[in-house]
Amino acid sequence: MIRKLSLFVFVTALVVSACGRQVTPNRPGYGGGTPGYMTVKFNVQSPFNFASYRYVFVFNTTGDGITPYGNVLQTNYQGYSFALVVSSNGGGTAGVQAVQYIRQAGTNVPILANLNPSAVQLQFNPNSNGLGTQFTVTFARALFYGYVTPSPGPALATLSSTRSPAAATPTPSPSPSPTSSASAAPYPTTQAQVNWTFNAFVYQPGAPSALDSMGSGGGTDTTFQSPQLATNQAFDNVVTASIGVIPSDPAAEITGVEFINNP
């Protein structure tokens, strides 16, 4: 079965490649929102099932260029810095959670810390295309300062504390809490960490591996190479999911993602 892109509405209709590309020229102030913010869109084949699945953007903000993959027991969470997790909040509606993966000495399994953003710092539209197959999250990039900031380079072993990780919890709650002190800033990372990489996943709660990802191998794919997101530049990047192994439920089938950045 071939993946199909859900309907998008663009100012200019353009064909995009599987690896993603910038579809609009850079121009001062462009980014679809407030400076210091990024907007992300997640698209699936059939309407979301937030009660059964978690839809996740994982970001690598270290600048090392590693793409995060869904088979975390084999990759030891390489490339996992932060995530946006969308699922049911238990009351029949969907919510979004911003979390950080915090590594500790002696273990390859990080703990999850809730970043506790305010409603301004983390904004969520569960049905942004009117078809139930696209949601949109807009967030202040400064949230990804996180509780600890990784040093530049390929390793995540060296961490310098910037905020107390006392809020770390083993699993994230999908509802944000307006308690974070982070504020929007032009550059949420050092110059060496300007270029982010990413992957998108669909999980069943409690499952060790993803059901689907951006790659042709589905949830356990290790072939997808994330294009870099230069957070110091304005862009509107669309990335389509690769053709290949797909889950049996089209509500868990990723068709593509979009990133709109305002530096």
Side-chain angles (χ1 to χ4, degrees), residues 10-92:
F10 299 110
V11 174
T12 304
L14 294 172
V15 177
V16 297
S17 67
C19 63
R21 64 180 176 86
Q22 185 163 300
V23 298
T24 56
N26 289 344
R27 55 188 183 274
Y30 181 75
T34 304
Y37 278 69
M38 181 180 289
T39 294
V40 296
K41 300 181 181 183
F42 194 114
N43 298 271
V44 291
Q45 184 64 40
S46 290
F48 294 107
N49 184 342
F50 296 115
S52 298
Y53 305 118
R54 286 179 175 174
Y55 301 89
V56 184
F57 280 104
V58 173
F59 294 89
N60 178 358
T61 65
T62 66
D64 62 13
I66 292 175
T67 298
Y69 293 122
N71 57 338
V72 294
L73 297 182
Q74 285 72 46
T75 65
N76 295 325
Y77 290 85
Q78 285 186 327
Y80 278 63
S81 300
F82 297 90
L84 300 173
V85 182
V86 173
S87 64
S88 172
N89 62 11

Side-chain angles (χ1 to χ4, degrees), residues 148-177:
V148 288
T149 303
S151 298
L156 288 177
T158 304
L159 297 175
S160 59
S161 178
T162 57
R163 294 195 298 186
S164 169
T169 55
T171 55
S173 166
S175 299
S177 302

Side-chain angles (χ1 to χ4, degrees), residues 3-261:
R3 297 174 185 260
K4 299 180 181 178
L5 270 178
S6 300
L7 293 178
F8 291 93
V9 177
F10 299 110
V11 174
T12 304
L14 294 172
V15 177
V16 297
S17 67
C19 63
R21 64 180 176 86
Q22 185 163 300
V23 298
T24 56
N26 289 344
R27 55 188 183 274
Y30 181 75
T34 304
Y37 278 69
M38 181 180 289
T39 294
V40 296
K41 300 181 181 183
F42 194 114
N43 298 271
V44 291
Q45 184 64 40
S46 290
F48 294 107
N49 184 342
F50 296 115
S52 298
Y53 305 118
R54 286 179 175 174
Y55 301 89
V56 184
F57 280 104
V58 173
F59 294 89
N60 178 358
T61 65
T62 66
D64 62 13
I66 292 175
T67 298
Y69 293 122
N71 57 338
V72 294
L73 297 182
Q74 285 72 46
T75 65
N76 295 325
Y77 290 85
Q78 285 186 327
Y80 278 63
S81 300
F82 297 90
L84 300 173
V85 182
V86 173
S87 64
S88 172
N89 62 11
T93 59
V96 61
Q97 182 75 16
V99 299
Q100 180 180 0
Y101 296 86
I102 299 179
R103 296 180 182 272
Q104 294 183 315
T107 178
N108 291 322
V109 179
I111 59 174
L112 285 179
N114 178 2
L115 295 178
N116 294 318
S118 72
V120 173
Q121 294 167 325
L122 186 64
Q123 304 164 36
F124 175 56
N125 183 341
N127 185 11
S128 51
N129 67 351
L131 301 174
T133 58
Q134 179 190 87
F135 68 71
T136 298
V137 179
T138 299
F139 65 97
R141 294 194 318 276
L143 285 173
F144 287 2
Y145 273 122
Y147 290 102
V148 288
T149 303
S151 298
L156 288 177
T158 304
L159 297 175
S160 59
S161 178
T162 57
R163 294 195 298 186
S164 169
T169 55
T171 55
S173 166
S175 299
S177 302
T179 58
S180 175
S181 60
S183 58
Y187 305 108
T189 55
T190 67
Q191 188 62 34
Q193 299 166 315
V194 163
N195 294 318
W196 296 358
T197 50
F198 73 92
N199 209 334
F201 303 107
V202 178
Y203 282 93
Q204 286 182 307
S209 297
L211 288 173
D212 202 12
S213 72
M214 292 294 294
S216 60
T220 58
D221 175 80
T222 57
T223 64
F224 172 70
Q225 295 296 309
S226 169
Q228 292 191 340
L229 304 175
T231 59
N232 62 344
Q233 299 178 19
F235 58 76
D236 184 344
N237 289 2
V238 177
V239 188
T240 60
S242 298
I243 297 171
V245 177
I246 58 173
S248 58
D249 185 352
E253 179 187 343
I254 302 171
T255 58
V257 295
E258 182 177 2
F259 301 87
I260 304 172
N261 188 62

